[in-house]
Amino acid sequence: MIEIEIPSLGKIGISTIVFDLNGTLAMTGQISDNVKTRLKLLANSVRVIIASADTRGNLADIGKELSVETHRLTLDLPEDEEKRLLIEKLGAENTAAVGNGINDSKMLKAAKIGIAVIGKEGAAVETINNANIVVTDPAHALDLFLHPIILKSTLRK
């Protein structure tokens, strides 16, 4: 659990972080070594889940390599709704979400802390508008949780 006291927001406890895969953590299906290292470190303190439609078919392999949970979208619902429901099922009050695509917009809004990543693939405006924080690299999003004092200085009013 990551706990941080943020002036004007109070005490926040994050026990789970849900990450989108393609466009957020990975480019062309590949996660950089510096992001892999940070994900492994983060998994020592919180539950890490990578949620994806698994377009490239490598989600299970990534989960095994990083020793993190994966959630393959069923696509029974629109992706944005399925990701939002995942956040609610996990307990939105203690869950953070990180994404970039329009299908991540609702999960960022539902989560206690939503982080949009504007990487090489860009980010959907709706997703940026539903985020609490916007970063330009997935490593920066991970660093916010690895060094939660940064969250305090970014989110305080």
Side-chain angles (χ1 to χ4, degrees):
M1 170 88 69
I2 297 169
E3 294 183 332
I4 187 80
E5 181 82 27
I6 299 175
S8 76
L9 293 179
K11 189 174 187 177
I12 293 176
I14 300 296
S15 59
T16 305
I17 305 173
V18 177
F19 293 89
D20 168 61
L21 179 58
N22 291 305
T24 301
L25 292 177
M27 283 301 300
T28 62
Q30 301 298 312
I31 300 176
S32 71
D33 288 339
N34 68 339
V35 170
K36 287 179 183 179
T37 299
R38 286 169 169 85
L39 280 167
K40 290 176 185 177
L41 284 171
L42 188 60
N44 291 325
S45 57
V46 296
R47 182 179 182 189
V48 172
I49 301 172
I50 300 175
S52 174
D54 201 17
T55 304
R56 296 181 178 275
N58 62 346
L59 180 62
D61 291 338
I62 288 171
K64 287 178 191 171
E65 177 187 356
L66 300 174
S67 299
V68 300
E69 293 180 51
T70 58
H71 176 82
R72 188 175 192 278
L73 301 178
T74 64
L75 305 179
D76 292 336
L77 297 170
E79 289 180 36
D80 61 342
E81 281 298 317
E82 191 170 346
K83 286 182 174 183
R84 179 189 60 79
L85 289 171
L86 174 62
I87 298 298
E88 291 177 2
K89 179 181 173 187
L90 293 167
E93 190 63 25
N94 295 315
T95 301
V98 182
N100 78 312
I102 198 158
N103 64 349
D104 301 317
S105 176
K106 290 181 180 179
M107 89 167 170
L108 268 60
K109 186 173 185 175
K112 184 67 176 181
I113 297 175
I115 299 175
V117 177
I118 306 175
K120 292 179 181 178
E121 209 176 90
V125 172
E126 182 177 323
T127 303
I128 293 168
N129 287 336
N130 282 336
N132 301 100
I133 299 171
V134 178
V135 297
T136 58
D137 188 291
H140 300 158
L142 289 155
D143 286 344
L144 291 169
F145 298 107
L146 291 169
H147 309 286
I149 193 76
I150 303 170
L151 285 172
K152 182 176 184 175
S153 54
T154 302
L155 292 176
R156 70 177 170 214
K157 290 183 181 181

